[in-house]
Amino acid sequence: MKRVIAIGELLIDFVPGEKGCALREVTHFERVAGGAPANVVSAVSRLGGSGVMVSQVGEDAFGEHIIDVLRRNGVDTSWVYKTRRANTGLAFVSLDSTGNREFSFFRNPSADLFLSPEQITPELMADGAALHFCSVDLVDHPVRQAHRRAIELARERDMIVCFDPNVRLPLWDSPAACRAAIREFLPYADIVKLSDDELEFVTGCRTEEEAAAQLFQGRCRLLLVTRGPDGSAAYTPSASAACAALPVQVVDTTGCGDSFIGSFLYQLVRDKATLETLPQLTGADLEKYLDFSAHYASLTAAKKGAAMATLEELKAAFPSLAC
Protein backbone atom coordinates (compact mmCIF):
# COMPACT_ATOMS: atom_id res chain seq x y z
CA MET A 1 0.00 0.00 0.00
CA LYS A 2 1.27 3.49 -0.83
CA ARG A 3 2.10 5.89 1.97
CA VAL A 4 0.13 8.60 3.75
CA ILE A 5 2.51 11.39 4.76
CA ALA A 6 1.61 13.96 7.42
CA ILE A 7 3.44 17.17 8.24
CA GLY A 8 2.92 19.36 11.28
CA GLU A 9 3.08 19.59 15.02
CA LEU A 10 4.32 16.99 17.47
CA LEU A 11 3.61 17.64 21.13
CA ILE A 12 2.76 16.08 24.45
CA ASP A 13 -0.89 16.24 25.55
CA PHE A 14 -1.26 16.25 29.31
CA VAL A 15 -4.77 14.83 29.70
CA PRO A 16 -6.60 15.31 32.99
CA GLY A 17 -7.02 12.66 35.62
CA GLU A 18 -10.48 14.03 36.40
CA LYS A 19 -13.40 15.03 34.20
CA GLY A 20 -16.05 17.72 34.46
CA CYS A 21 -13.89 20.59 35.74
CA ALA A 22 -12.09 23.59 34.30
CA LEU A 23 -8.40 23.41 33.44
CA ARG A 24 -7.46 25.57 36.43
CA GLU A 25 -9.08 22.99 38.71
CA VAL A 26 -7.31 19.88 37.34
CA THR A 27 -4.79 18.47 39.82
CA HIS A 28 -3.46 15.37 37.99
CA PHE A 29 -2.43 14.87 34.37
CA GLU A 30 -1.33 11.90 32.29
CA ARG A 31 1.31 12.27 29.55
CA VAL A 32 0.11 11.28 26.06
CA ALA A 33 2.02 11.69 22.79
CA GLY A 34 0.00 13.99 20.55
CA GLY A 35 -0.29 16.29 17.59
CA ALA A 36 -3.17 15.97 15.13
CA PRO A 37 -1.06 15.03 12.06
CA ALA A 38 0.69 12.34 14.11
CA ASN A 39 -2.67 10.97 15.22
CA VAL A 40 -3.77 10.72 11.58
CA VAL A 41 -0.76 8.71 10.39
CA SER A 42 -0.91 6.60 13.56
CA ALA A 43 -4.49 5.65 12.61
CA VAL A 44 -3.35 4.79 9.08
CA SER A 45 -0.49 2.65 10.36
CA ARG A 46 -2.50 0.94 13.09
CA LEU A 47 -5.06 -0.09 10.49
CA GLY A 48 -2.34 -1.75 8.45
CA GLY A 49 -1.45 1.08 6.09
CA SER A 50 1.82 2.97 5.77
CA GLY A 51 2.08 6.27 7.65
CA VAL A 52 4.99 8.73 7.64
CA MET A 53 5.44 11.67 10.02
CA VAL A 54 7.34 14.82 9.10
CA SER A 55 8.12 17.13 12.00
CA GLN A 56 10.69 18.15 14.58
CA VAL A 57 11.04 17.66 18.34
CA GLY A 58 13.43 18.99 20.91
CA GLU A 59 16.41 17.08 22.19
CA ASP A 60 14.52 16.21 25.35
CA ALA A 61 12.72 13.31 27.00
CA PHE A 62 9.32 14.39 25.68
CA GLY A 63 10.59 14.31 22.11
CA GLU A 64 12.08 10.86 22.63
CA HIS A 65 8.79 9.63 24.06
CA ILE A 66 6.83 10.88 21.05
CA ILE A 67 9.20 9.16 18.62
CA ASP A 68 9.00 5.93 20.63
CA VAL A 69 5.19 5.98 20.57
CA LEU A 70 5.05 6.72 16.83
CA ARG A 71 7.39 3.83 16.12
CA ARG A 72 5.34 1.47 18.29
CA ASN A 73 2.32 2.51 16.24
CA GLY A 74 4.14 1.55 13.06
CA VAL A 75 4.74 5.10 11.84
CA ASP A 76 7.90 5.86 9.84
CA THR A 77 9.80 8.50 11.86
CA SER A 78 12.75 8.86 9.47
CA TRP A 79 11.62 12.43 8.81
CA VAL A 80 11.17 13.47 12.45
CA TYR A 81 14.15 15.70 13.20
CA LYS A 82 15.63 16.86 16.51
CA THR A 83 16.79 20.35 17.38
CA ARG A 84 18.39 22.21 20.28
CA ARG A 85 16.78 25.48 19.30
CA ALA A 86 13.61 24.80 21.29
CA ASN A 87 11.89 22.18 23.42
CA THR A 88 9.10 19.82 22.40
CA GLY A 89 5.70 21.49 22.62
CA LEU A 90 3.27 20.77 25.46
CA ALA A 91 -0.51 21.05 25.69
CA PHE A 92 -2.52 20.79 28.91
CA VAL A 93 -6.12 19.65 28.46
CA SER A 94 -9.26 19.62 30.58
CA LEU A 95 -12.45 17.66 29.86
CA ASP A 96 -15.99 18.75 30.63
CA SER A 97 -18.71 16.28 31.55
CA THR A 98 -19.31 15.41 27.87
CA GLY A 99 -15.63 14.79 27.07
CA ASN A 100 -15.10 18.10 25.23
CA ARG A 101 -11.82 19.90 25.76
CA GLU A 102 -10.14 23.12 26.87
CA PHE A 103 -6.48 23.63 25.91
CA SER A 104 -3.49 25.54 27.26
CA PHE A 105 -0.43 25.38 24.98
CA PHE A 106 3.24 25.78 25.92
CA ARG A 107 5.14 26.39 22.66
CA ASN A 108 6.64 29.85 22.50
CA PRO A 109 8.21 28.64 20.32
CA SER A 110 8.40 24.83 20.20
CA ALA A 111 10.77 22.62 18.23
CA ASP A 112 8.32 21.81 15.42
CA LEU A 113 8.08 25.47 14.43
CA PHE A 114 11.73 25.43 13.29
CA LEU A 115 11.23 22.67 10.71
CA SER A 116 12.60 24.30 7.55
CA PRO A 117 11.82 23.85 3.84
CA GLU A 118 15.42 22.68 3.31
CA GLN A 119 14.60 19.61 5.41
CA ILE A 120 11.80 18.63 3.01
CA THR A 121 13.42 16.78 0.10
CA PRO A 122 11.96 14.89 -2.89
CA GLU A 123 12.85 11.52 -1.34
CA LEU A 124 10.16 12.13 1.28
CA MET A 125 7.39 11.70 -1.28
CA ALA A 126 8.64 8.38 -2.67
CA ASP A 127 5.68 6.02 -3.02
CA GLY A 128 3.38 8.62 -1.49
CA ALA A 129 -0.36 8.56 -2.14
CA ALA A 130 -1.54 11.42 0.09
CA LEU A 131 -0.14 14.37 2.03
CA HIS A 132 -2.07 15.50 5.11
CA PHE A 133 -1.66 18.73 7.08
CA CYS A 134 -3.47 20.94 9.60
CA SER A 135 -3.38 24.64 10.51
CA VAL A 136 -1.60 24.57 13.88
CA ASP A 137 1.85 24.89 12.25
CA LEU A 138 0.86 27.46 9.62
CA VAL A 139 2.09 30.26 11.89
CA ASP A 140 4.85 32.69 10.92
CA HIS A 141 7.82 30.35 11.46
CA PRO A 142 10.00 28.26 9.11
CA VAL A 143 7.53 25.35 9.38
CA ARG A 144 5.01 27.35 7.33
CA GLN A 145 7.39 27.33 4.37
CA ALA A 146 8.16 23.67 5.04
CA HIS A 147 4.46 23.00 4.44
CA ARG A 148 4.61 24.90 1.16
CA ARG A 149 7.59 22.82 0.07
CA ALA A 150 5.87 19.55 1.01
CA ILE A 151 2.73 20.53 -0.89
CA GLU A 152 4.82 21.51 -3.92
CA LEU A 153 6.58 18.11 -3.94
CA ALA A 154 3.27 16.27 -3.46
CA ARG A 155 1.80 18.16 -6.41
CA GLU A 156 4.75 17.11 -8.61
CA ARG A 157 3.85 13.48 -7.90
CA ASP A 158 0.08 13.96 -8.36
CA MET A 159 -0.55 12.99 -4.73
CA ILE A 160 -3.83 13.77 -2.99
CA VAL A 161 -3.44 16.74 -0.63
CA CYS A 162 -5.69 16.67 2.44
CA PHE A 163 -6.24 19.65 4.77
CA ASP A 164 -7.92 19.46 8.18
CA PRO A 165 -7.77 23.02 9.59
CA ASN A 166 -8.26 21.67 13.13
CA VAL A 167 -8.81 25.20 14.46
CA ARG A 168 -6.99 26.04 17.72
CA LEU A 169 -7.61 29.74 18.35
CA PRO A 170 -5.47 30.00 21.54
CA LEU A 171 -2.38 29.51 19.34
CA TRP A 172 -3.08 32.60 17.24
CA ASP A 173 -2.82 36.33 17.86
CA SER A 174 -6.42 36.70 16.73
CA PRO A 175 -9.22 34.67 15.12
CA ALA A 176 -8.69 36.76 11.98
CA ALA A 177 -5.04 35.67 11.73
CA CYS A 178 -6.05 32.02 12.09
CA ARG A 179 -8.78 32.34 9.45
CA ALA A 180 -6.43 34.12 7.04
CA ALA A 181 -3.81 31.37 7.29
CA ILE A 182 -6.39 28.64 6.76
CA ARG A 183 -7.92 30.39 3.75
CA GLU A 184 -4.46 30.91 2.27
CA PHE A 185 -3.86 27.15 2.25
CA LEU A 186 -7.39 25.97 1.34
CA PRO A 187 -6.76 26.35 -2.41
CA TYR A 188 -4.02 23.69 -2.21
CA ALA A 189 -6.33 20.97 -0.85
CA ASP A 190 -8.03 18.20 -2.81
CA ILE A 191 -9.74 16.99 0.39
CA VAL A 192 -10.94 19.35 3.11
CA LYS A 193 -12.11 18.02 6.47
CA LEU A 194 -14.06 20.30 8.80
CA SER A 195 -16.01 19.86 12.01
CA ASP A 196 -19.48 21.37 12.09
CA ASP A 197 -18.37 24.08 14.52
CA GLU A 198 -15.54 25.12 12.16
CA LEU A 199 -17.62 25.26 8.99
CA GLU A 200 -18.77 28.88 9.09
CA PHE A 201 -15.50 30.15 10.62
CA VAL A 202 -13.43 28.64 7.81
CA THR A 203 -15.72 29.06 4.79
CA GLY A 204 -18.10 31.85 5.75
CA CYS A 205 -20.99 29.54 4.80
CA ARG A 206 -23.76 28.52 7.16
CA THR A 207 -24.65 25.23 5.52
CA GLU A 208 -22.57 22.28 4.42
CA GLU A 209 -24.03 22.43 0.93
CA GLU A 210 -23.01 26.08 0.52
CA ALA A 211 -19.53 25.34 1.84
CA ALA A 212 -19.13 22.40 -0.53
CA ALA A 213 -20.22 24.46 -3.54
CA GLN A 214 -17.76 27.19 -2.60
CA LEU A 215 -14.84 24.79 -2.10
CA PHE A 216 -15.57 22.96 -5.35
CA GLN A 217 -14.92 26.18 -7.24
CA GLY A 218 -11.24 25.52 -6.49
CA ARG A 219 -9.16 22.32 -6.30
CA CYS A 220 -11.22 20.61 -3.63
CA ARG A 221 -13.06 17.52 -4.78
CA LEU A 222 -14.07 16.00 -1.44
CA LEU A 223 -15.46 17.74 1.64
CA LEU A 224 -15.79 15.79 4.87
CA VAL A 225 -17.77 17.19 7.79
CA THR A 226 -17.82 15.67 11.27
CA ARG A 227 -20.83 16.59 13.38
CA GLY A 228 -19.95 15.07 16.75
CA PRO A 229 -22.99 13.25 18.15
CA ASP A 230 -24.89 14.08 14.95
CA GLY A 231 -22.66 11.92 12.74
CA SER A 232 -20.76 12.90 9.61
CA ALA A 233 -21.20 13.77 5.95
CA ALA A 234 -19.22 13.71 2.72
CA TYR A 235 -19.61 15.69 -0.48
CA THR A 236 -18.10 15.53 -3.97
CA PRO A 237 -19.16 17.71 -6.92
CA SER A 238 -21.60 14.99 -8.00
CA ALA A 239 -22.51 12.96 -4.89
CA SER A 240 -23.08 13.15 -1.16
CA ALA A 241 -23.77 10.90 1.80
CA ALA A 242 -24.35 11.09 5.53
CA CYS A 243 -23.77 8.70 8.41
CA ALA A 244 -25.23 8.67 11.91
CA ALA A 245 -22.96 8.65 14.92
CA LEU A 246 -22.64 5.44 16.90
CA PRO A 247 -23.94 5.36 20.46
CA VAL A 248 -20.86 5.44 22.66
CA GLN A 249 -19.98 6.32 26.23
CA VAL A 250 -17.65 9.22 25.52
CA VAL A 251 -14.53 9.26 27.68
CA ASP A 252 -12.45 11.78 25.74
CA THR A 253 -12.98 13.46 22.35
CA THR A 254 -9.23 14.03 21.89
CA GLY A 255 -8.18 12.58 18.54
CA CYS A 256 -11.68 11.64 17.38
CA GLY A 257 -11.54 13.88 14.33
CA ASP A 258 -8.01 12.64 13.61
CA SER A 259 -9.07 9.02 13.82
CA PHE A 260 -11.96 9.79 11.49
CA ILE A 261 -9.86 11.40 8.75
CA GLY A 262 -6.99 8.96 9.30
CA SER A 263 -9.26 5.97 8.77
CA PHE A 264 -10.89 7.69 5.80
CA LEU A 265 -7.51 8.26 4.14
CA TYR A 266 -6.56 4.67 4.90
CA GLN A 267 -9.61 3.48 2.95
CA LEU A 268 -8.94 5.79 0.01
CA VAL A 269 -5.32 4.65 -0.30
CA ARG A 270 -6.29 1.01 0.22
CA ASP A 271 -8.72 1.36 -2.68
CA LYS A 272 -6.10 3.17 -4.81
CA ALA A 273 -8.00 6.44 -5.06
CA THR A 274 -6.35 9.15 -7.17
CA LEU A 275 -6.94 12.81 -8.02
CA GLU A 276 -8.89 11.62 -11.05
CA THR A 277 -11.10 9.14 -9.20
CA LEU A 278 -11.99 11.30 -6.16
CA PRO A 279 -14.78 13.16 -8.01
CA GLN A 280 -16.10 9.82 -9.28
CA LEU A 281 -16.88 8.45 -5.82
CA THR A 282 -20.55 7.53 -5.64
CA GLY A 283 -22.95 8.14 -2.80
CA ALA A 284 -22.69 4.45 -1.94
CA ASP A 285 -18.88 4.70 -1.82
CA LEU A 286 -19.02 7.71 0.46
CA GLU A 287 -21.57 6.07 2.76
CA LYS A 288 -19.39 2.97 3.10
CA TYR A 289 -16.29 5.04 3.92
CA LEU A 290 -18.18 7.23 6.40
CA ASP A 291 -19.59 4.18 8.16
CA PHE A 292 -16.14 2.61 8.55
CA SER A 293 -14.67 5.85 9.90
CA ALA A 294 -17.60 6.43 12.26
CA HIS A 295 -17.06 3.01 13.80
CA TYR A 296 -13.33 3.60 14.04
CA ALA A 297 -13.68 7.05 15.66
CA SER A 298 -16.14 5.64 18.21
CA LEU A 299 -13.35 3.46 19.59
CA THR A 300 -11.16 6.54 20.05
CA ALA A 301 -13.96 8.41 21.86
CA ALA A 302 -14.35 5.52 24.30
CA LYS A 303 -10.73 5.82 25.52
CA LYS A 304 -8.63 8.51 27.18
CA GLY A 305 -6.20 10.35 24.92
CA ALA A 306 -5.90 9.96 21.15
CA ALA A 307 -6.07 6.15 21.18
CA MET A 308 -5.99 4.65 17.69
CA ALA A 309 -7.31 1.10 17.30
CA THR A 310 -5.87 -1.64 15.11
CA LEU A 311 -7.87 -3.24 12.34
CA GLU A 312 -8.13 -6.38 14.47
CA GLU A 313 -9.55 -4.38 17.38
CA LEU A 314 -12.06 -2.75 15.05
CA LYS A 315 -13.17 -6.12 13.70
CA ALA A 316 -13.46 -7.53 17.21
CA ALA A 317 -15.60 -4.59 18.38
CA PHE A 318 -17.82 -4.62 15.27
CA PRO A 319 -17.84 -8.12 13.71
CA SER A 320 -20.45 -7.18 11.12
CA LEU A 321 -18.54 -4.14 9.84
CA ALA A 322 -17.24 -4.49 6.28
CA CYS A 323 -13.47 -4.11 6.62
Side-chain angles (χ1 to χ4, degrees):
M1 189 182 295
K2 287 192 171 184
R3 306 190 305 167
V4 175
I5 300 161
I7 182 171
E9 75 276 8
L10 285 176
L11 50 81
I12 295 288
D13 286 324
F14 283 93
V15 298
E18 56 260 59
K19 189 174 175 180
C21 57
L23 185 57
R24 67 179 183 274
E25 300 168 332
V26 179
T27 58
H28 296 84
F29 294 90
E30 179 183 347
R31 176 196 66 178
V32 177
N39 294 337
V40 169
V41 287
S42 291
V44 170
S45 297
R46 295 276 285 172
L47 283 165
S50 180
V52 182
M53 186 66 208
V54 187
S55 189
Q56 190 161 247
V57 295
E59 291 191 355
D60 51 48
F62 290 135
E64 293 287 354
H65 174 67
I66 291 171
I67 292 172
D68 288 345
V69 170
L70 286 172
R71 287 174 176 166
R72 287 200 299 270
N73 285 335
V75 176
D76 183 347
T77 60
S78 303
W79 300 87
V80 177
Y81 298 91
K82 296 180 182 178
T83 181
R84 293 182 179 179
R85 295 184 66 181
N87 292 327
T88 303
L90 308 177
F92 289 82
V93 189
S94 67
L95 299 172
D96 65 19
S97 58
T98 64
N100 289 315
R101 301 154 293 166
E102 174 188 353
F103 292 93
S104 181
F105 293 94
F106 289 74
R107 46 172 257 159
N108 294 310
S110 53
D112 54 301
L113 300 182
F114 292 105
L115 182 72
S116 71
E118 291 74 25
Q119 292 170 287
I120 311 299
T121 62
E123 294 78 15
L124 167 62
M125 300 300 169
D127 206 29
L131 174 70
H132 178 79
F133 69 102
C134 302
S135 73
V136 165
D137 269 4
L138 298 183
V139 291
D140 190 17
H141 278 80
V143 70
R144 184 186 183 113
Q145 298 308 317
H147 278 68
R148 291 190 183 279
R149 178 59 174 157
I151 293 168
E152 176 187 345
L153 292 173
R155 284 273 166 261
E156 291 176 2
R157 290 181 173 269
D158 291 326
M159 292 168 54
I160 294 170
V161 175
C162 177
F163 184 21
D164 176 0
N166 200 35
V167 175
R168 295 289 179 265
L169 290 180
L171 292 172
W172 297 84
D173 293 336
S174 68
C178 177
R179 184 187 295 110
I182 291 170
R183 291 185 176 178
E184 181 181 339
F185 278 79
L186 273 178
Y188 300 125
D190 305 299
I191 299 174
V192 175
K193 183 266 175 188
L194 296 168
S195 62
D196 54 355
D197 59 356
E198 296 170 336
L199 188 81
E200 186 171 0
F201 177 83
V202 169
T203 67
C205 301
R206 292 191 175 183
T207 70
E208 296 172 8
E209 292 77 11
E210 291 171 343
Q214 180 187 103
L215 289 168
F216 295 155
Q217 292 177 18
R219 286 195 65 96
C220 181
R221 288 298 174 264
L222 175 60
L223 170 64
L224 299 174
V225 181
T226 52
R227 305 165 173 168
D230 296 321
S232 57
Y235 301 83
T236 72
S238 60
S240 64
C243 179
L246 274 71
V248 59
Q249 184 65 45
V250 175
V251 173
D252 184 356
T253 58
T254 303
C256 286
D258 305 329
S259 64
F260 184 92
I261 186 60
S263 58
F264 205 100
L265 287 173
Y266 160 78
Q267 294 176 87
L268 290 176
V269 175
R270 178 199 64 195
D271 293 348
K272 298 180 173 58
T274 66
L275 292 175
E276 290 73 26
T277 62
L278 272 183
Q280 300 169 15
L281 292 172
T282 66
D285 294 329
L286 296 173
E287 187 173 353
K288 178 184 68 174
Y289 290 156
L290 288 172
D291 186 55
F292 181 99
S293 292
H295 282 79
Y296 189 76
S298 74
L299 296 183
T300 299
K303 295 181 181 179
K304 184 182 291 187
M308 303 297 158
T310 65
L311 187 60
E312 290 70 27
E313 290 169 338
L314 182 64
K315 290 177 178 178
F318 305 104
S320 62
L321 181 65
C323 296

